Structure formats: C-alpha cells, structure tokens
C-alpha cells in the first residue's frame, strides 16, 4: 500500500451507517440505532399480514398489498373475455414488474453498500444475533460449531462471563422464536384473524397444527445449529446481495490499516482479536473482500476496534471505506501477498 497517499477522509456513505471513526460513544449509539431499525422491521414482518400490508390469501386466492386486493388480472381470461396474450400481459404487469422493481432496489443498494438489508433490517438476522449473544453467555461460543472460545474480555475491558445455566434461556428462546416465525408465516398464507383466533381458542385445524408443528421443529433446529449456515449458503436474498457487492470494486467495505497491524497485538489480552469475536457471521474482518463474501455490514467489528483503540491517538485500525479508498484497501492486500 502506498503510505504516501493522502490520508483517507471520513465518508458519509449512507446516513444510517455513519459514525465518527474512533468515537466509542458514537459507535454504541450507532449499534442502538441499528437495533432500532431491526426491531422496527421485525415488527413490520409480524404485523404486515394483520393489516393486509402484504400477504397471499389461499382461501380467497389473491394477494393483499397495502390494504388493497392484488390480483393477476386473469379473471377476464378465465371468463373467456380476454385473449392469452392479454392474460400474459396482465401477469407481466401485475407480478413480474413489481418483483423486478423490488429486486432492482435491493440489488442496487447492495451494489453500493453490500448486504445492508441483512445487517440492518432482516428479521432472520436479528434472531441470529440474539441467539449468538445468549449462546455466548451459556457456552463462551457464539455457535456450537466454533472450535475456540470467544475472548474472555469484551472490547470495553469488562470480563465476558460464561454460565451454563444460560442454556435454560438459549433453548426456550430458539424454540420461542421458531414458533413465532411459524405462526407469522402461516398468517402470510391464511387470514390472520382465523389463524390467531384458532390459536388462542385452541381450535387449530389439522393442517394448521401440522404446519405450525413442522415449521417450529425445523426452525428451532435451524436457529440452534444452522443459523449462520443458512445466511451464508441458503438465503437467496443474501446471496444475490453478495454477488452484486462483489461486482463493485468501489462498494462499501471494511478497510484495514495493515501498516499498523502490530497495534492488533494489544487489542485484547492473550493476543485475541475483538473484531473477530464481534462478527456475528463468524468472519475475520481484517481479511480480503472475497473472504468477507457474506459480510452483513452490521459494523460491529468496526465499533469493537474503535472501542479497543479509544486511547490510541492514531485511532482504530478498521473503518468503512468506499470508492478509491476501497480499491486501495484491496490493492494493499495484493501488495502484501506479492511481497
């Protein structure tokens, strides 16, 4: 990396993701803001079917969007009053155009900022983070598949306490989230009043009971054992965001000042890394971009670095960079490899 290059200036890359580098208080405020976005979107995920904001009604055989019936416009064709070409046009206009517009919005944001939806809005990822924190309290690891324990110290210097009794919270939380998800998913397919009414009255139909039982079991296993694997390898929304992000060399990325890598040695006791421990996707934030393929832009690694380096006059080693700074960051990795 060319150390004679002008110092990088903080960039206002996106309003919800901007905090002064090295400011631990601002970093904490940013995480509170991110969790507020997650909580709000989770509430929207749960309540959207209740208020007919978005759902498909299997009983009525049509969708609801923003409180209005959303049909494909095939009724004239079925009644023999429209041609097949007109029916195809209705499907394109009423189904594919809205879907493509939504996909373009998500992919466009990912092209510039990465998997911002995952880290700031996705209701599944908010469950991933919640169970991560509980599992860390119970076992000292964020996942049952982790080979090594998390550091015994938090970025702010407090000890990370581990107590096996927290497993009594981890498992019920995973099952509780799974059951909530199963109920909500069912309300996207059947009238919410019917689902909640039958549930509270203990009068679920056979098919409803089978769906809720099967979905709760599958989701419980996923939340306990495979939540990171789902985000990395299964979720199509995350995959396409990652592909778009990887295709843009100027996109927002975690930058690492490699020339100051020696400062990482005193980040935490026992030469452990706060940024690695902070990543909910179990990635290594100081790595090259292609090894950060599933980064959710949650910023926790950047904030952990800011906290551990708060007394360092040079500031943190990690920061979000974009544009030419992002290109230089990747070029630095290649130069280091060629050396």
């Amino acid at each position: 990396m060319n150390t004679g290059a002008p110092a990088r200036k903080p960039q206002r890359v996106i309003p919800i993701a901007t905090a002064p580098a090295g400011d631990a208080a601002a970093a904490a405020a940013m995480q509170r803001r991110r969790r507020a976005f997650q909580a709000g979107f989770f509430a929207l995920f749960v309540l959207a079917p209740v208020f007919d904001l978005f759902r498909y009604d299997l009983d009525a055989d049509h969708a609801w969007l923003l409180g209005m019936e959303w049909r494909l416009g095939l009724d004239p064709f079925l009644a023999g009053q429209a041609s097949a070409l007109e029916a195809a046009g209705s499907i394109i206009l009423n189904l594919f155009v809205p879907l493509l517009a939504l996909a373009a919005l998500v992919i466009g944001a990912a092209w510039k900022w990465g998997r911002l939806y995952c880290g700031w809005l996705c209701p599944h990822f908010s469950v991933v983070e919640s169970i991560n924190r509980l599992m860390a309290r119970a076992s000292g690891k964020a996942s049952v598949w982790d080979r090594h324990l998390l550091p015994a110290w938090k970025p702010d210097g407090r000890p990370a306490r581990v107590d096996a009794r927290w497993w009594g919270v981890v498992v019920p939380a995973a099952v509780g989230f799974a059951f909530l998800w199963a109920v909500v998913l069912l309300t996207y397919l059947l009238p919410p009043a019917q689902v909640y009414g039958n549930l509270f009255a203990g009068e679920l139909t056979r098919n409803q009971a089978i769906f809720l039982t099967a979905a709760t079991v599958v989701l419980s296993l996923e939340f306990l054992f495979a939540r990171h694997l789902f985000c990395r390898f299964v979720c199509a929304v995350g995959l396409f965001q990652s592909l778009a992000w990887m295709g843009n060399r100027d996109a927002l990325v975690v930058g690492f000042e490699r020339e100051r890598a020696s400062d990482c040695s005193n980040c935490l006791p026992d030469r452990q890394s706060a940024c690695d421990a902070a990543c909910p996707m179990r990635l290594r934030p100081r790595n090259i971009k292609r090894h950060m393929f599933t980064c959710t832009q949650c910023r926790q690694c950047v904030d952990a670095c800011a906290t551990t380096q708060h007394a360092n006059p040079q500031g943190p080693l990690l920061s979000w960079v974009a544009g030419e700074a992002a290109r230089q960051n990747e070029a630095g990795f290649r130069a280091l490899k060629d050396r």
Side-chain angles (χ1 to χ4, degrees):
M1 184 174 181
N2 183 11
T3 56
R8 296 195 295 267
K9 298 180 179 179
Q11 303 181 47
R12 291 194 61 83
V13 287
I14 185 170
I16 65 171
T18 305
D23 189 334
M30 182 60 59
Q31 288 302 320
R32 288 194 296 270
R33 185 187 305 179
R34 187 177 70 87
R35 291 192 178 100
F37 273 89
Q38 287 180 315
F41 201 82
F42 196 95
L44 178 63
F45 166 70
V46 173
L47 296 176
V50 175
F51 295 103
D52 291 333
L53 298 180
F54 177 74
R55 67 181 179 90
Y56 186 86
D57 193 327
L58 291 176
D59 290 344
D61 198 24
H62 66 76
W64 290 85
L65 180 64
L66 301 179
M68 298 178 290
E69 293 185 6
W70 183 20
R71 300 177 182 272
L72 293 181
L74 295 180
D75 290 342
F77 173 74
L78 296 175
Q81 299 174 355
S83 66
L85 183 61
E86 291 173 325
S90 295
I91 293 175
I92 293 173
L93 180 64
N94 295 317
L95 179 60
F96 290 105
V97 170
L99 290 178
L100 290 175
L102 179 61
L105 177 64
V106 174
I107 296 302
W111 167 265
K112 188 172 184 179
W113 298 305
R115 291 175 64 163
L116 203 66
Y117 166 79
C118 295
W120 289 76
L121 298 176
C122 177
H124 181 272
F125 190 67
S126 62
V127 174
V128 170
E129 291 189 89
S130 298
I131 297 178
N132 278 1
R133 289 190 289 269
L134 293 174
M135 194 168 287
R137 290 294 302 271
S139 66
K141 299 189 295 184
S143 169
V144 295
W145 306 117
D146 284 353
R147 294 182 179 180
H148 305 290
L149 295 176
L150 292 169
W153 305 93
K154 296 183 178 181
D156 59 5
R158 293 179 297 155
R161 304 186 185 280
V162 178
D163 189 337
R165 290 176 296 182
W166 275 85
W167 281 111
V169 178
V170 175
V171 176
V175 175
F177 276 124
F179 180 71
L180 174 62
W181 266 68
V183 172
V184 171
L185 291 177
L186 188 57
T187 64
Y188 275 88
L189 301 174
L190 296 175
Q194 174 187 329
V195 174
Y196 288 118
N198 290 353
L199 181 64
F200 293 140
E203 299 175 352
L204 292 171
T205 66
R206 180 176 180 274
N207 289 339
Q208 290 172 354
I210 291 175
F211 178 92
L212 292 180
T213 301
T216 299
V217 171
V218 171
L219 289 169
S220 295
L221 294 174
E222 192 261 329
F223 288 154
L224 284 171
F225 302 108
R227 57 191 183 280
H228 305 104
L229 299 177
F230 177 88
C231 291
R232 290 185 184 184
F233 305 116
V234 179
C235 179
V237 176
L239 174 63
F240 283 108
Q241 287 181 93
S242 292
L243 291 173
W245 179 59
M246 293 296 294
N248 181 10
R249 295 177 60 192
D250 293 332
L252 182 70
V253 69
V254 175
F256 175 52
E257 297 189 21
R258 285 163 298 283
E259 66 277 6
R260 294 176 50 210
S262 59
D263 287 347
C264 291
S265 64
N266 61 5
C267 174
L268 291 176
D270 302 322
R271 303 180 68 85
Q272 292 177 306
S273 172
C275 61
D276 289 354
C279 179
M281 288 294 287
R282 321 313 304 136
L283 304 176
R284 297 185 180 275
R286 293 170 291 174
N287 219 328
I288 193 169
K289 182 178 178 180
R290 67 173 178 269
H291 292 159
M292 294 287 289
F293 182 77
T294 55
C295 174
T296 61
Q297 308 297 62
C298 71
R299 191 192 162 96
Q300 292 185 68
C301 60
V302 175
D303 292 343
C305 185
T307 301
T308 60
Q309 301 294 324
H310 71 280
N312 190 332
Q314 293 182 284
L317 291 85
L318 296 180
S319 62
W320 270 357
V321 295
E324 182 58 32
R327 290 173 176 263
Q328 289 183 17
N329 183 71
E330 295 300 296
F333 276 107
R334 290 194 296 272
L336 188 64
K337 183 178 179 180
D338 295 339
R339 201 174 296 169

